[in-house]
Amino acid sequence: MREPVDYDGRMTPQNLLDHLDQGRLWPAPLSADPGFNLDAAYAKQLAVRALRIARGEQARGFKVGFTNRGIWPRYNVFAPIWGTVWNTTLTLSDGEGHAEGQVSLARTCQPRIEPETVFGLKATPPAGASLQQLFDAIDWIAPGFEIVQSHLPDWKFLPPDPVADGSLHAHLLVGRHTPIQELASDAHALNTLLANAQVTLSKNGRAVEQGQGSNVLDGPLHALKHFVETLRACPGAPDLRPGDVVTTGTWTDAWPVLPGERWSAHFSPPLSSLAVAFTD
């Protein structure tokens, strides 16, 4: 059956939400329309966000994607993008030591895993926030796994498509929280720690890739700053709120995952390690 479309030939926000809920591929890229640009894509994403809120989901923060410049040519996206993290897509695994969580891949579409740094906010950063002002707004920091997905075959798209696709967010698993004041006294110290930190990503006990914090726009704190500026430049976008989580982009490539697999990320200080078991 032909998909319902809106007046200009693209799928409606409700169609996009249906595909998201059912884990179905899109019938065609939205970028097939040459007039569908990034502004239109964020407007479409925000319309889907409104539908999710209307049905009772709660926004819990944001994901920032494509902050790792090293993977830009691989995905044909050459600038960061952002999307919403929901109460239905967020798992907090704040255990002692090496945290481990479980994530279902049911109704995800071509899922992949990304090891990331997650910030928890205690305040809304001021307008034009400096790195130090961002530091002052952060409550805690944690390792995270973002599970990303694409509703276009083989992850082939143009930049507006992943933006309209919720910026590829499927799920976020957050590891052990560490209060920021236990790690650094100011933004410069935290930025140095995170930029120099390394991660080894492993599948079923076997290392598949190593990465470094500086891969994400020279450090996760810089990635957070870029995101805050971009969010506030987007018409109709919500602002950050106390209690929001923000995950700042992958330190490695995004790796395909399947039910039954166990993945782990061994971070060097100041982050702890994190593991995840995938189920149907």
Side-chain angles (χ1 to χ4, degrees):
M1 179 181 294
R2 188 179 180 85
E3 292 289 340
V5 294
D6 61 16
Y7 72 93
D8 55 2
R10 297 189 294 266
M11 288 202 300
T12 66
Q14 185 61 56
N15 299 147
L16 292 173
L17 183 55
D18 290 343
H19 280 259
L20 181 71
D21 288 341
Q22 298 162 16
R24 290 190 293 126
L25 293 173
W26 292 356
L30 276 69
S31 61
D33 177 353
F36 190 73
N37 57 21
L38 285 173
D39 288 342
Y42 275 113
K44 190 78 77 172
Q45 183 195 130
L46 290 171
V48 174
R49 175 186 164 103
L51 290 174
R52 296 185 74 157
I53 291 173
R55 71 182 187 181
E57 289 184 84
Q58 301 170 14
R60 294 292 304 274
F62 299 90
K63 64 79 50 83
V64 192
F66 292 111
T67 53
N68 188 332
R69 300 185 186 98
I71 66 174
W72 286 356
R74 204 166 302 157
Y75 296 95
N76 198 35
V77 176
F78 296 90
I81 62 176
W82 58 266
T84 302
V85 172
W86 301 91
N87 66 308
T88 52
T89 66
L90 176 65
T91 299
L92 300 175
S93 179
D94 191 17
E96 294 295 327
H98 302 316
E100 180 164 353
Q102 189 175 89
V103 172
S104 170
L105 297 178
R107 293 182 295 280
T108 58
C109 200
Q110 306 177 107
R112 299 189 177 196
I113 189 171
E114 300 180 338
E116 308 196 0
T117 304
V118 185
F119 294 110
L121 299 186
K122 62 184 178 183
T124 299
S130 64
L131 287 181
Q132 183 59 43
Q133 288 172 316
L134 285 177
F135 176 89
D136 293 337
I138 296 170
D139 184 17
W140 51 260
I141 190 169
F145 277 136
E146 195 190 10
I147 313 308
V148 289
Q149 62 181 340
S150 173
H151 290 85
L152 286 172
D154 303 319
W155 283 67
K156 302 298 183 184
F157 39 65
L158 294 178
D161 295 311
V163 170
D165 197 5
S167 289
L168 307 181
H169 174 67
H171 201 92
L172 176 62
L173 172 67
V174 181
R176 184 169 65 87
H177 303 174
T178 301
I180 195 170
Q181 297 298 336
E182 293 183 10
L183 300 177
S185 59
D186 58 26
H188 175 74
L190 181 66
N191 180 62
T192 300
L193 280 173
L194 292 177
N196 291 332
Q198 297 184 341
V199 67
T200 299
L201 179 66
S202 298
K203 171 186 174 182
N204 296 330
R206 181 174 181 177
V208 297
E209 189 177 352
Q210 292 185 317
Q212 185 162 323
S214 59
N215 289 350
V216 293
L217 297 185
D218 304 320
L221 197 58
H222 284 285
L224 179 64
K225 186 175 189 297
H226 183 279
F227 160 66
V228 173
E229 294 167 352
T230 304
L231 178 74
R232 289 172 170 170
C234 180
D239 203 354
L240 288 159
R241 302 174 301 176
D244 277 351
V245 300
V246 182
T247 187
T248 51
T250 185
W251 293 22
T252 66
D253 196 359
W255 286 78
V257 294
L258 293 170
E261 294 176 348
R262 182 183 183 274
W263 288 73
S264 61
H266 179 74
F267 289 90
S268 64
L271 296 172
S272 58
S273 296
L274 179 64
V276 59
F278 290 111
T279 65
D280 291 316

